[in-house]
């Protein structure tokens, strides 16, 4: 079975392993702590949104915080009990800062909520199973806490050539994956097969370092028993072979291109812990509420691995492993190479905590004072990413950010191999981290200043336009009254003297038309804005109301609406700009030209509208598809939207087709049709609003049926929604009426 | 609980400190020093002592002026290493003030003025050597000969060495002779075969003595390689380039050029390759850069030895390549993981 | 042929205008702060030096000598150099605005680069022929560019070194240039010209 | 006498020829426009705060290209001055205190229960970062706020605070290490003091 070729990567180091200490005792099961602290950011991406309030009773496994954005994840109650606080607590973070946490006081009963396993997952659609994994709050348990659903879905970007299970666990001291493999071999194999099915990988490889013979034997045995095709590849022990990119190089000989993900070259990497969590989520319906963590270090009398509930304070675990307070000198989350120190033991275990290292002074002595870099090049020989650490240090010290970036600072994986071998004890990794964040800050500042510039310029343009419009209106009024006077006085055929007034008259006709279009655009913008607000409100409501399934759809709507709004605004700006510039070019001779100008405008607008409408159709189609995937309840609404949008697009295209061949346009028709188009778009928007309101009512009704206990609030909501609906409908009616009117007048 | 809060990694490779590296390099010169003392008398040892004291004093003086912790920086052994390298390179009978000038110039102007260890762009020892070479050419060209070839027929005694260094030794001329390189350089119109037959500096005993010295430094250098303090790139490239250059010209013009073996085993070839050119601070950074750097020194050594004004070219070759090292660094970055091609130059942006 | 090669070796290495003859130190110190700038300056100087040594040779041989006005060489060479520099500036401005901006004040300052006048005068005093004059100017320019680029790469490193405050900037630059001149003494007696 | 006249004549002819060449080159290689303003503008922080005495960043960029000093921009601080100095190849000078001092990044926050809905701050905001309508409570979009202070002055009830952007676990970063020997020996390296401010 170990026939596969093992490649090698540049550099790497061989620190003392120190893995045996924590493997002496069997897997421990600490008691329930007095309280569980559950940070809302246990993963990369945005913090989750709490679903519970202080005083709520929750059952074990019940969701207590919801996914809030693409890279976010759900969070579940690790045990049954009462929510006592939602407040800022110190979290496991290198900064030692606090963050928002849900505090749960266990009632000791460990009452499980209703578990929903997916026994028939093989028959289900992959997306369904993946969304189930998302609902169970599974994130990558190896390091960064990347939400598993995102990773699995990302694997479809390219056909998978390799599916790698990371069991290398190369950091000294840590044995949690080792223990996990030994304890849950069967679950692991089933979990791997589950993931394999989900990502449709032909070949699965488990990469494991050769310093875990017991785990290798257990895996081999189980794989033979299961008659599994999973390949087990033993790689030589070298730090950092457990790094995702390094393991991929070891097993496939391929390198993940800089700035890309393994999925971009058809490789997927999953940690063993994630596989077991996936197994438990699908086979048993258990959300991710506990994990195996190594407690080790010389300050502990009983170093061991423990199966611990998320949120358990570190202090509780240290006590469990019999900590000698006086010995403790450094408390590290993670291993000695990449872990970070803690200020206090009050911080909780999170989904990604694989090790707690309570070291004494002798074990991890304080680093020697930093000396000058003599460019000895030992770091270069150790760097697994083939960087030039000494040059990077030089640039970091002098804050030459561009050069540091040029020397590929961002390919640094912060493994610490360079600092480990540095004879001058330079905290290289800290320099790199600082420089990386400086570069990121600079980039953010650049983006922000760009944005500010845009907004400033947009504002200036708007102010100018407003001023110009006012001026134009004033002029128009003046001239209109003047021309009226002229007309009443002289009704005779046009003479030389009337030439001027003709100019004025035509001007006054053209100007209001352009003003009309701008006005309408403005109305559109206003409507768009209010709609956006509504959608945002709905999103917030959805998040508040725990309607997990709506959130992503609504997020999509919001962004869509924002885009549409931006388009409208630019259109408006264009129209406004076009307005004052057009005037002076008008002469009495080219009145046809003049007439054409608004017509062309209208035509252009119609075209843009058509394009927007088409884009909308596409977007809604996409939304529909996604909604169908997620089986969201608002599918109907979206379908209706889609139909509307399609209809609208067709209409627009028809309109577009009709006037364009008529080369000599009359003065009014296109302008009026533009007006009609605006009206039509308003009508459409209102229609959508109506549809949305209806959908909302439907949903609320559903909820009313499903949860009669909060009937009161729901029915109130329904009432409100109905009111909205009525309003929207009446608005729609008036709009349609005005549309008819305008058609008649034309 | 007063817990330490520092960045990862939390563990360090034990023992291998900068001071350890410097000490090891100093120890690696020991075989060469012993052979030199055995062949040329106590002058080298006395030079080393003078140089050591001068280096530590000048380093301490500058540190005191800059209000830096003196002990901390003296303990990194870098000043001492510079002194040792200079003490070895200077002729064994050179007056004490030449040694002091060389060492203090090296420490003050080549090292401390740039900010001390790690900041110097030039190899301090070679700056010191070059400055006294161009300033005091006469004492710098007096090398002792092995006892069997020189006029007096014996080695300089310890007291005579002291006298030569601190005062004056009238009979010194009977103990000195040209080095093989010097002799070969000034063979004037002789072709190489007759030069090897007639010139005293090119007699077997004289050449053998330098062979021994070079072998001793080769041994020390191999020890440094084995300890992984230096990499093979610079010495191999240097010696390789010297070999190729001398080989080419030897094949091209056998009658006037010296053999590659002669070039590799006389003068400071091995000492320069393993101890001078490998100074990490002033050399190139990447492995590829080190290859270019070493090869450049090798070529320059041959050019200066053959056509230049000085018998040996290690010091100038190293200095010239020190000068070029920063630019070489820009164009010899290694290919980073995940990049198709190595980046070169200074263009900011993605892969080309 | 060998003679031409020797002229190049001589001007680039042995009698390097900056590090051995100490000509053109102003742009050498002024433009060596950044590698990109110095590469641009090196190209501009190479162009100007070669062109001006050619023009000055032509002026001298075909205008001054026939009329016996050799004593006007300095003033007429200055005239020639000024024109060549102005011309180069306009070309650079048109073709590479970026380089133009980077070189800034130093481009017109090539006029006062004594190396340019030095090359022209040395060409006369050495009684170089047409090809020799061009090669001599080109070699001098290459030598100038060579050390300028190396020096600027080195200065980028020195700029971030922990140099004592009093030695920051030009002081350490001059010291470095001195050490470099010391290194260039290794080429002494390589070629006698 | 003749030689003098000849010398003058030759020089005049030479000058005329060269003048002609230059004149031709001037026409042939004529360049228009000054793209420098865009580059200067790109370096300015775009807070549009007007502390430099110009109504926005671009006008100041234009002023710089016309010779105004580069040290009138407090929000950009020394970093911007350095960048401008690099761009324009002039010496970096310290920030001009008359135009304000460099402060940490801040955002405006409206104490919402005190807001009377006068819309004065909305009119003052150069980047439209304040939301609200007449007689309605206003609020600042923190992400869009550039911290320019311009809304503080017009507020009749002084309900706008400038708040430092705090450090959270998300935007926290490691400090730069203190450098050689500094951490354990606590040296007072006197000649480094200027380096820090550089």
């Amino acid at each position: 079975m170990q026939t596969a070729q093992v490649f090698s990567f540049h550099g790497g180091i061989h620190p003392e392993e120190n893995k045996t200490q924590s493997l002496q005792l069997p897997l421990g099961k600490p008691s329930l702590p007095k309280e569980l602290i559950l940070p809302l950011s246990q993963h990369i991406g945005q913090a989750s949104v709490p679903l519970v309030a202080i005083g709520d009773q929750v059952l074990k496994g019940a969701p207590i915080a919801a996914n809030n954005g693409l890279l976010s994840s759900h969070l579940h109650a690790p045990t049954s009990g009462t929510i006592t606080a939602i407040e800022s607590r110190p979290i496991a973070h290198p900064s030692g800062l606090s963050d928002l946490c849900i505090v749960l006081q266990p009632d000791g009963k460990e009452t499980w909520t209703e578990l929903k396993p997916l026994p028939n997952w093989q028959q289900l659609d992959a997306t369904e199973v993946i969304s189930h994994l998302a609902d169970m709050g599974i994130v990558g348990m190896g390091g960064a806490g990347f939400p598993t659903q995102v990773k699995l879905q990302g694997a479809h970007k390219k056909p998978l050539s390799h599916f790698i299970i990371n069991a290398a666990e190369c950091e000294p001291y840590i044995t949690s994956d080792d223990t996990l493999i030994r304890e849950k071999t069967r679950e692991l194999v089933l979990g791997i097969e589950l993931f394999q099915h989900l990502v449709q990988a032909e070949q699965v490889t488990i990469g494991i370092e050769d310093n875990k013979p017991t785990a290798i034997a257990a895996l081999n045995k189980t794989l033979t028993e299961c008659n599994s095709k999973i390949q087990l590849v033993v790689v030589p022990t070298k730090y950092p072979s457990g790094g995702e990119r390094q393991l991929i190089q070891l097993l496939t000989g391929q390198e993940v291109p800089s700035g890309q993900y393994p999925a971009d070259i058809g490789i997927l990497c999953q940690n063993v812990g994630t596989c077991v969590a996936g197994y438990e989520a699908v086979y048993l319906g258990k959300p991710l509420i506990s994990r195996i963590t190594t407690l080790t270090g010389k300050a502990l009398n009983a170093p061991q691995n423990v199966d611990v509930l998320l949120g358990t304070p570190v202090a509780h675990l240290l006590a469990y492993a019999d900590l000698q307070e006086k010995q403790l000198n450094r408390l590290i989350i993670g291993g000695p190479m990449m872990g970070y120190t803690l200020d206090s033991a009050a911080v909780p275990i999170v989904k990604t905590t694989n090790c707690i290292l309570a070291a004494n002074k002798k074990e991890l002595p304080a680093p020697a004072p930093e000396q000058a870099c003599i460019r000895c090049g030992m770091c270069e020989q150790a760097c697994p990413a083939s960087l030039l650490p000494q040059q990077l240090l030089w640039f970091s010290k002098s804050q030459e950010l561009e050069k540091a970036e040029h020397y590929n600072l961002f390919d640094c994986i912060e493994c610490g191999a360079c600092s480990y071998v540095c004879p001058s004890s330079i905290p290289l990794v800290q320099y790199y981290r600082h420089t990386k964040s400086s570069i990121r800050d600079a980039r953010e500042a650049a983006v922000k200043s760009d944005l500010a510039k845009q907004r400033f310029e947009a504002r200036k343009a708007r102010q100018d336009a407003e001023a110009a419009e006012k001026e134009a209106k004033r002029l128009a009024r003046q001239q209109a009254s003047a021309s009226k006077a002229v007309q009443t006085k002289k009704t005779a055929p046009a003479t030389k003297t009337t030439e001027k007034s003709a100019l004025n008259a035509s001007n006054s006709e053209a100007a209001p038309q352009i003003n009309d279009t701008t006005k309408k655009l403005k109305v559109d913008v206003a409507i768009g804005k209010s709609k956006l607000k509504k959608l945002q409100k709905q999103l917030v409501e959805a998040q508040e109301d725990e309607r997990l399934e709506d959130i992503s759809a609504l997020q999509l709507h919001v962004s869509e609406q924002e885009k549409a709004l931006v388009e409208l605004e630019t259109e408006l700006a264009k129209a406004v700009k076009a307005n004052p510039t057009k005037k002076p070019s008008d002469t009495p001779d080219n009145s046809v030209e003049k007439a054409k100008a608004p017509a062309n405008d209208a035509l252009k607008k119609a075209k843009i509208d058509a394009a927007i409408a088409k884009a909308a159709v596409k977007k809604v189609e996409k939304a529909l598809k996604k909604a169908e995937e997620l089986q969201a309840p608002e599918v109907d609404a979206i379908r209706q939207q889609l139909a509307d949008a399609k209809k609208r697009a067709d209409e627009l295209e028809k309109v577009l087709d009709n006037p364009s061949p008529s080369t000599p346009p009359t003065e009014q028709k296109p302008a009026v049709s533009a007006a009609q188009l605006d009206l039509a778009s308003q009508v459409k928007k209102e229609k959508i609003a109506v549809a949305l309101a209806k959908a909302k009512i439907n949903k609320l009704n559903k909820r009313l049926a499903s949860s009669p206990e909060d009937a009161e609030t729901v029915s109130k909501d329904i009432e409100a929604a109905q009111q909205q609906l009525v309003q929207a409908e009446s608005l729609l009616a008036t709009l349609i009426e005005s549309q008819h009117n305008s058609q008649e007048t034309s | 609980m007063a817990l330490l809060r520092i960045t990862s990694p939390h563990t360090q490779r034990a023992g291998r400190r900068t001071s350890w590296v410097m000490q090891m390099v100093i120890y690696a010169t020991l075989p060469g020093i012993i052979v030199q003392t055995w062949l040329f008398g106590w002058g080298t040892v006395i030079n080393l002592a003078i140089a050591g004291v001068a280096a530590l004093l000048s380093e301490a003086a500058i540190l005191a002026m800059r209000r830096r912790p003196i002990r901390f920086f003296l303990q990194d052994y870098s000043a001492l290493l510079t002194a040792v390298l200079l003490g070895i390179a200077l002729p064994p009978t050179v007056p004490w003030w030449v040694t002091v000038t060389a060492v203090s110039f090296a420490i003050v102007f080549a090292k401390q003025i740039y900010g001390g260890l790690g900041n110097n762009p030039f190899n301090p020892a070679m700056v010191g050597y070059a400055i006294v070479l161009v300033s005091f050419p006469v004492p710098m060209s007096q090398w002792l000969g092995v006892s069997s070839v020189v006029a007096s027929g014996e080695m300089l005694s310890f007291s005579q060495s002291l006298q030569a260094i601190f005062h004056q030794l009238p009979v010194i001329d009977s103990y000195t002779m040209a080095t093989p390189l010097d002799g070969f350089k000034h063979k004037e119109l002789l072709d190489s075969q007759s030069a090897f037959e007639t010139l005293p500096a090119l007699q077997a005993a004289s050449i053998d003595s330098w062979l021994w010295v070079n072998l001793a430094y080769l041994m020390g250098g191999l020890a440094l390689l084995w300890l992984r303090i230096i990499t093979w790139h610079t010495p191999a490239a240097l010696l390789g380039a010297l070999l190729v250059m001398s080989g080419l010209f030897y094949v091209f013009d056998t009658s006037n050029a010296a053999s590659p073996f002669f070039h590799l085993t006389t003068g400071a070839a091995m000492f320069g390759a393993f101890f001078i050119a490998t100074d990490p601070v002033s050399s190139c950074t990447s492995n590829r850069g080190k290859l270019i750097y070493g090869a450049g020194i090798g070529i320059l050594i041959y050019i200066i030895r053959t056509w230049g004004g000085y018998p040996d070219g290690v010091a100038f070759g190293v200095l010239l390549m020190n000068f070029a090292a920063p630019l070489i660094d820009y164009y010899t970055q290694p290919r980073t993981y995940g990049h198709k091609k190595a980046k070169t130059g200074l263009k900011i942006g993605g892969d080309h | 042929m060998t003679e031409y090669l020797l002229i190049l070796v001589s001007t680039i290495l042995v009698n390097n205008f900056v590090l051995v003859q100490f000509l053109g130190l102003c742009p050498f110190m002024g433009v060596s702060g950044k590698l990109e700038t110095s590469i641009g300056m090196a190209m501009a100087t190479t162009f100007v030096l070669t062109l001006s040594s050619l023009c000055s040779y032509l002026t001298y041989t075909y205008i001054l000598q026939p009329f016996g006005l050799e004593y006007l060489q300095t003033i007429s060479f200055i005239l020639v150099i000024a024109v060549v520099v102005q011309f180069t500036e306009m070309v650079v401005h048109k073709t590479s605005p970026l380089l133009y901006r980077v070189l800034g004040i130093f481009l017109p300052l090539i006029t006062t680069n004594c190396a340019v006048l030095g090359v022209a005068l040395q060409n006369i005093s050495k009684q170089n022929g047409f090809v020799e004059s061009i090669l001599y100017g080109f070699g001098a320019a290459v030598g100038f560019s060579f050390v300028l680029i190396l020096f600027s790469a080195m200065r980028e490193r020195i700029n971030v070194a922990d140099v004592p405050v009093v030695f920051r900037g030009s002081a350490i630059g001059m010291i470095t240039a001195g050490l470099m001149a010391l290194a260039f003494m290794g080429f002494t007696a390589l070629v006698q010209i | 006498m003749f030689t003098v006249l000849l010398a003058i004549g030759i020089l005049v002819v030479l000058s005329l020829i060269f003048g002609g060449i230059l004149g031709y080159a001037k026409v042939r290689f004529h360049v228009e426009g000054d793209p420098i303003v865009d580059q200067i503008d790109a370096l300015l922080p775009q807070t549009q705060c007007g502390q430099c005495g110009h109504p926005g960043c671009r006008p100041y960029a234009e002023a710089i290209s016309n010779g105004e000093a580069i040290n009138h921009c407090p929000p950009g601080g020394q970093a911007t001055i350095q960048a401008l100095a690099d761009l324009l190849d002039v010496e970096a000078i310290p920030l001009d205190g008359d135009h304000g001092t460099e402060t940490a990044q801040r955002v405006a926050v409206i104490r919402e229960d005190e807001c009377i809905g006068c819309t004065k701050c909305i009119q003052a905001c150069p980047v439209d970062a304040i939301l609200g309508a007449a007689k309605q409570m206003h609020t600042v979009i923190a992400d869009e706020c550039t911290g320019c202070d311009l809304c503080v002055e017009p507020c009749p009830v002084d309900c706008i605070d400038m708040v430092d952007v705090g450090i959270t676990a998300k935007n926290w970063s490691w400090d730069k290490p203190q450098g050689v020997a500094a951490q354990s020996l606590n040296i007072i390296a006197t000649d480094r003091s200027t380096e820090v401010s550089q």
Side-chain angles (χ1 to χ4, degrees), chain A residues 350-401:
Chain A
V350 294
K351 290 175 182 177
T352 52
T353 314
N354 51 6
C355 179
I356 296 166
L357 176 54
N360 65 14
K361 218 172 195 167
K362 219 170 124 199
E363 192 174 19
L364 297 181
E370 180 182 337
Q371 282 177 292
C373 169
I374 55 164
R375 299 164 161 270
C376 64
M378 289 180 191
C379 46
E380 185 197 337
Q381 312 300 331
C383 179
S386 306
L387 295 163
L388 288 176
Q390 68 275 58
Q391 291 290 80
L392 290 175
L393 167 73
W394 200 253
F395 299 138
S396 301
K397 271 187 161 175
S398 58
Q399 292 285 295
E400 288 178 283
L401 304 184

Side-chain angles (χ1 to χ4, degrees), chain D residues 51 71-74 81 94-102:
Chain D
Q51 288 182 70
N71 61 348
H72 293 173
C73 180
I81 294 175
L95 186 69
D96 188 347
D98 295 347
H99 293 271
T101 48
E102 199 175 343

